[in-house]
Amino acid sequence: MKYFYITTAIDYANGAPHLGHAYEKVLADVITRYKRLRGTHVYFLTGLDEHGQKVQQTAEKKGVEPLSLCNEMAKAFQEMCKHLEISNDDYIRTTEERHKKVVKEILQKLFDQGDIYKSEYKGYYSAKEEQFLQEKDKMEGKWPESYGDVVEISESNYFFRLSKYHEWLVQHIEKNNEFIFPTFRAKEVLEFLKEGVNDLCISRPKARLSWGIELPFDHDYVTYVWFDALINYLSAIGYGTEKFDAYWPADVHVIGKDILIPAHGVYWPIMLKAIGLQIPKKLLVHGWWLQSGNKMSKSKGNVVNPLELIDQLGVDAFRFFLMREMHIVQDSDFSKELFLIRYNSDLGNDLGNLVSRFLNMAQRYCEGKVPEISVHEKAEMELKYLWESSYEEILKSMDMYQFHKALDILFTFIRAINRYAETRAPWKLAKSTEQKDRERLETSIATMAEGVRLSTLLLEPIMPTISKKIQELLGTPSIQAIDDALKWGNSLKGNQLGEKCILFPRVEQESEGEEKKD
Ligand code: ME8
Ligand code: MG
C-alpha cells in the first residue's frame, strides 16, 4: 500500500510561530482530514528547520547555545500544532540523528557520483533568506529589503551540479502541468529557468558557520541549510530502508510562495533527480497572510499570535476563518474585525442558531427524537435538490484545494436550512389540530436533522471538534468515511437528540472607545 504523503514546510527555529505558520499547518491538516474521510490512507509530516546562520545568530544574540534555542522553539511549534488540532503523523527536527544520517548519506552519494565538486566561491549572501544572490537579484541597483543585510563572501566551497540538470527540469515542468499548483506559479519557475542556473554552493566553512551538518567527505565544512532542510521529506520516512517505498514520492508538498523559487521549484526536483528518486506529484503553493498590505513576518514584527485568537474564539472558529478567508493562490489581509464578523454571522447566526433552534424544537414537539420524513412537498424537495447539487460541487472544490469556495457553497446550504425552518414554521404547525400538519411538523424536524447531519459531514475536516460535538448531539457516531453517508435520506430516524446548546457565544467588537480612559 502506498500512503498519500503530505508535508508542510519545516519552520525556521529562530522565532516564535505566527499566523502564517499556523495557516500552513491548518491547510495541510484540512487536506489530510478530507482525504482520510474519503477513505485515503494519509501520512502527514511537519517539522522544524534548525540549522543555518540565522538560527546561530539568533542564539548568539540571546546568549544561548543553538540547540537550546531550538529545543525551546520545537516546544513552542509543537504546542501550537496541538492547539490547532493538527493531526500530523510525525514531527521531524533537522537536529535529529535520523535526519543527519540521511543528509550525510545523500551528500556522500552525490559526491561519489561526481555531482558535488570543490571550487572557489565569490558572491553575495543573504542570511535572512539563507540564500546566495547574484547581481541580477538587485532591483534598481539595490538589494531588495526582503533580503536583509547582504554580504559579499569569497571562499573555497563545495558545489552541486544544478546546471547539469537544467534542461531536464524545464522539460519536467513543461510536461507535468499538475506538478506546480496554481499553474501560474509554474510559469514563474520556467521564467526563472530561462537564464539557466548556476551550480549551487552547498557548503559553509566551519570557521564562518559551525551550526550545521558536517560534510561526510570534508570535516572543515557544514552543509548549506536549504540542502539539509529539503531532505527532511526523505529522512522522516526512512530513506534507505524498506518502508520508504510506501511513502515516496510525496503526493503534496504544501509551501508558501516565497520558498518556491528557487528552493522547492528548482533545487529540490534536481536533487531528487540526481539521487535517482521520483519527483513529488505536487507543490501546492499558497499565498501570504498580510497585515495592512505587508507580509506578516518575524523580522517585521507585525505578527499575529494564533494562540491568542484560539483562546478567544476557539480553535474551530479560527480554522474556519483561515480556510474561509484565504483564497490559497492569493494573499489575504488579516483583520480581527473581519474574523469577528465571520464568527458572529456565519458561525453564530447561521450554523450555531440553526443547531440550537432545531434541537429546541425537537425537544418541544417530538420529545427529542428524530421523526419520520413522511411529507415530500415543495419545501422539502427544494432543500433536498439544493443539497444534491451542492455536495458534488463542494467535493470538487475540496479536491482542487478551493476551501473558501467549498465553505461558501456549504454555508449557502446551511442558510437554506434556516429558511426552510422559517417556511415550515413548526411553531405554527404545532398549533394545528390537523393530522397532515402534524406530519408536516414531524417531517420538518427530521428534514432539519438531515440537513444538519449532511453539513456537519463536510465541515469535519475544517472544524473537527464542533463537527464531532454536533454529531453527538444528533446521536450519530462520528463518521469514518463519508462517501455513502453523503446521500440525502431519513438517516437519523429514531435517534435521541441532545439538549439545545450555544455553540458559538456571541462576541462583541471591541470599540476603540472602550480602551480609552480619560
Ligand atoms: O521558509 N503567510 O521557514 P519559515 C503565509 N525553513 N505563509 C507564511 C507566512 C505568511 N505571512 N510567513 C511564512 C522556511 N509563511 C524554511 C522552509 S522547507 C524544507 C524549509 C510560510 O519559518 C512560508 O511560506 O520562514 C513557509 O512555507 C512556512 O511558513 C515556513 O516559513
Ligand atoms: Mg520565511
Side-chain angles (χ1 to χ4, degrees):
M1 191 205 51
K2 161 86 174 74
Y3 284 97
F4 182 93
Y5 178 33
I6 181 168
T7 68
T8 68
I10 51 172
D11 306 309
Y12 280 129
N14 70 320
H18 61 67
L19 184 74
H21 298 126
Y23 168 71
E24 188 172 293
K25 305 280 182 306
V26 170
L27 172 60
D29 188 59
V30 168
I31 298 170
T32 296
R33 287 177 185 268
Y34 169 67
K35 294 275 175 196
R36 285 189 182 135
L37 266 184
R38 304 227 38 206
T40 305
H41 293 277
V42 184
Y43 195 81
F44 173 13
L45 174 72
T46 183
L48 198 63
D49 189 356
E50 308 188 21
H51 293 122
Q53 200 164 322
K54 224 160 52 162
V55 173
Q56 180 170 304
Q57 282 170 351
T58 308
E60 271 164 17
K61 258 189 233 152
K62 290 190 162 190
V64 296
E65 285 302 311
L67 187 59
S68 88
L69 170 70
C70 292
N71 287 341
E72 192 191 312
M73 284 303 142
K75 227 165 104 189
F77 275 93
Q78 281 175 292
E79 192 76 359
M80 176 186 75
C81 286
K82 211 171 118 209
H83 283 287
L84 290 170
E85 304 200 345
I86 303 303
S87 62
N88 53 307
D89 295 287
D90 196 358
Y91 191 89
I92 180 117
R93 297 182 50 183
T94 55
T95 46
E96 284 175 74
E97 208 40 55
R98 60 169 173 161
H99 175 71
K100 294 198 259 189
K101 181 174 145 271
V102 171
V103 171
K104 285 182 184 175
E105 242 173 79
I106 287 175
L107 282 166
Q108 189 67 52
K109 177 179 161 62
L110 295 176
F111 184 70
D112 291 345
Q113 72 190 36
D115 276 333
I116 289 176
Y117 62 92
K118 195 170 186 185
S119 173
E120 283 301 308
Y121 180 79
K122 198 170 173 335
Y124 301 97
Y125 194 70
S126 148
K128 179 158 173 260
E129 291 301 314
E130 299 281 14
Q131 210 176 307
F132 290 105
L133 303 173
Q134 297 165 25
E135 281 293 336
K136 69 170 181 169
D137 295 313
K138 283 188 176 166
M139 305 259 263
E140 293 162 2
K142 283 201 208 127
W143 298 113
E145 222 179 284
S146 60
Y147 291 123
D149 287 338
V150 175
V151 291
E152 198 171 3
I153 48 180
S154 168
E155 59 198 20
S156 249
N157 265 312
Y158 287 89
F159 289 80
F160 170 53
R161 291 190 197 281
L162 274 192
S163 55
K164 177 174 150 191
Y165 299 93
H166 171 262
E167 256 326 289
W168 165 81
L169 180 61
V170 170
Q171 286 193 10
H172 182 82
I173 296 174
E174 280 173 349
K175 270 193 258 160
N176 297 277
N177 48 20
E178 301 269 286
F179 176 43
I180 302 175
F181 181 91
T183 18
F184 74 86
R185 300 242 180 251
K187 295 213 180 79
E188 291 173 3
V189 178
L190 288 171
E191 193 56 41
F192 175 86
L193 288 170
K194 263 200 181 135
E195 296 180 32
V197 286
N198 293 333
D199 288 345
L200 174 65
C201 177
I202 52 121
S203 64
R204 297 290 178 276
K206 271 191 189 164
R208 183 159 69 77
L209 173 74
S210 56
W211 185 235
I213 300 176
E214 198 178 272
L215 295 185
F217 43 80
D218 190 335
H219 302 318
D220 292 335
Y221 291 86
V222 297
T223 314
Y224 169 43
V225 63
W226 266 108
F227 197 91
D228 150 3
L230 287 161
I231 291 176
N232 90 87
Y233 303 135
L234 303 177
S235 60
I237 51 167
Y239 171 80
T241 69
E242 252 174 50
K243 70 171 208 178
F244 180 77
D245 291 342
Y247 306 90
W248 199 257
D251 292 85
V252 185
H253 289 312
V254 179
I255 56 169
K257 65 176 187 180
D258 51 320
I259 58 171
L260 173 65
I261 300 173
H264 285 80
V266 180
Y267 302 163
W268 186 226
I270 291 184
M271 283 165 71
L272 291 165
K273 176 74 182 162
I275 300 167
L277 290 175
Q278 290 188 64
I279 309 309
K281 294 197 189 132
K282 192 177 299 297
L283 303 176
L284 176 56
V285 187
H286 62 77
W288 286 340
W289 281 95
L290 308 176
Q291 182 82 291
S292 318
N294 287 313
K295 178 175 184 251
M296 208 176 275
S297 77
K298 294 170 276 228
S299 40
K300 286 214 183 71
N302 61 347
V303 297
V304 171
N305 180 350
L307 298 184
E308 270 171 32
L309 295 169
I310 295 174
D311 272 352
Q312 262 181 319
L313 300 174
V315 60
D316 285 86
F318 179 65
R319 291 172 59 115
F320 170 80
F321 177 74
L322 294 182
M323 291 299 112
R324 180 67 187 83
E325 232 24 73
M326 174 70 100
H327 294 202
I328 215 171
V329 305
Q330 302 164 4
D331 294 341
S332 216
D333 218 52
F334 179 81
S335 114
K336 182 89 184 283
E337 288 78 53
L338 191 57
F339 187 9
L340 281 178
I341 289 169
R342 285 251 174 243
Y343 175 86
N344 284 327
S345 64
D346 295 10
L347 298 181
N349 285 350
D350 297 342
L351 177 63
N353 266 353
L354 169 65
V355 172
S356 130
R357 279 172 84 194
F358 142 72
L359 290 173
N360 188 33
M361 290 188 274
Q363 295 297 344
R364 269 173 82 167
Y365 308 126
C366 306
E367 293 164 349
K369 269 215 170 72
V370 180
E372 187 176 342
I373 295 184
S374 56
V375 175
H376 302 275
E377 292 177 339
K378 188 167 165 259
E380 285 75 30
M381 288 301 103
E382 272 177 8
L383 197 63
K384 174 174 183 273
Y385 292 146
L386 180 63
W387 172 254
E388 283 166 355
S389 63
S390 300
Y391 87 81
E392 301 259 7
E393 276 301 303
I394 296 172
L395 296 180
K396 227 188 281 167
S397 304
M398 295 213 190
D399 285 334
M400 293 299 294
Y401 313 108
Q402 305 292 304
F403 296 103
H404 70 286
K405 191 171 164 204
L407 285 171
D408 188 21
I409 305 170
L410 187 58
F411 274 75
T412 302
F413 176 71
I414 289 171
R415 280 188 291 275
I417 312 176
N418 277 312
R419 272 200 312 279
Y420 169 80
E422 292 298 325
T423 310
R424 273 304 187 203
W427 52 94
K428 285 187 195 152
L429 293 170
K431 291 186 188 136
S432 165
T433 50
E434 287 192 27
Q435 175 59 21
K436 192 73 193 172
D437 281 340
R438 179 68 205 168
E439 285 169 19
R440 287 193 182 108
L441 169 64
E442 292 186 354
T443 294
S444 72
I445 301 295
T447 300
M448 284 184 253
E450 186 65 0
V452 172
R453 177 186 77 84
L454 291 164
S455 320
T456 312
L457 284 179
L458 292 181
L459 263 186
E460 201 274 348
I462 294 139
M463 308 212 288
T465 306
I466 286 286
S467 303
K468 241 172 252 137
K469 184 161 180 192
I470 298 175
Q471 282 163 359
E472 272 163 32
L473 290 167
L474 294 176
T476 52
S478 55
I479 297 283
Q480 302 303 320
I482 49 172
D483 284 43
D484 292 333
L486 285 169
K487 301 277 178 293
W488 181 279
N490 192 179
S491 338
L492 300 178
K493 194 171 125 186
N495 274 19
Q496 187 64 47
L497 300 168
E499 296 286 331
K500 75 164 180 181
C501 60
I502 296 173
L503 295 176
F504 303 99
R506 203 175 165 77
V507 176
E508 296 305 328
Q509 295 270 4
E510 292 162 13
S511 70
E512 277 179 36
E514 275 171 31
E515 281 165 279
K516 281 187 200 145
K517 284 196 189 114
D518 41 16

Short mmCIF file of all heavy atoms in Angstrom, two decimals, residues 12 54 129 258 295, ligand 2:
data_model
loop_
_atom_site.label_atom_id
_atom_site.label_comp_id
_atom_site.label_asym_id
_atom_site.label_seq_id
_atom_site.Cartn_x
_atom_site.Cartn_y
_atom_site.Cartn_z
N TYR A 12 11.47 27.69 10.39
CA TYR A 12 12.76 28.10 10.96
C TYR A 12 12.63 28.21 12.48
O TYR A 12 11.66 28.79 12.98
CB TYR A 12 13.20 29.45 10.42
CG TYR A 12 13.81 29.39 9.06
CD1 TYR A 12 13.37 30.22 8.04
CD2 TYR A 12 14.87 28.53 8.78
CE1 TYR A 12 13.94 30.19 6.78
CE2 TYR A 12 15.45 28.49 7.52
CZ TYR A 12 14.99 29.33 6.53
OH TYR A 12 15.55 29.30 5.28
N LYS A 54 21.05 31.90 10.41
CA LYS A 54 20.01 32.68 11.08
C LYS A 54 19.79 32.18 12.51
O LYS A 54 19.69 32.97 13.44
CB LYS A 54 18.71 32.49 10.29
CG LYS A 54 18.00 33.75 10.09
CD LYS A 54 17.00 33.80 8.99
CE LYS A 54 15.94 32.78 8.91
NZ LYS A 54 14.85 33.28 8.03
N GLU A 129 17.40 35.22 4.30
CA GLU A 129 16.73 34.23 3.46
C GLU A 129 17.58 32.98 3.27
O GLU A 129 17.20 32.08 2.53
CB GLU A 129 16.36 34.84 2.09
CG GLU A 129 15.26 35.90 2.16
CD GLU A 129 13.95 35.39 2.76
OE1 GLU A 129 13.50 34.30 2.38
OE2 GLU A 129 13.39 36.08 3.62
N ASP A 258 6.99 32.17 -1.14
CA ASP A 258 8.36 32.67 -1.02
C ASP A 258 9.40 31.57 -1.10
O ASP A 258 10.58 31.85 -1.31
CB ASP A 258 8.54 33.45 0.29
CG ASP A 258 8.07 32.67 1.51
OD1 ASP A 258 7.03 32.00 1.41
OD2 ASP A 258 8.75 32.72 2.55
N LYS A 295 3.71 41.61 4.31
CA LYS A 295 3.82 40.22 4.73
C LYS A 295 4.02 40.18 6.24
O LYS A 295 4.79 40.93 6.79
CB LYS A 295 5.00 39.53 4.05
CG LYS A 295 5.16 38.08 4.50
CD LYS A 295 6.23 37.34 3.75
CE LYS A 295 6.30 35.89 4.16
NZ LYS A 295 7.46 35.53 4.94
MG MG B 2 10.36 32.82 5.86
#
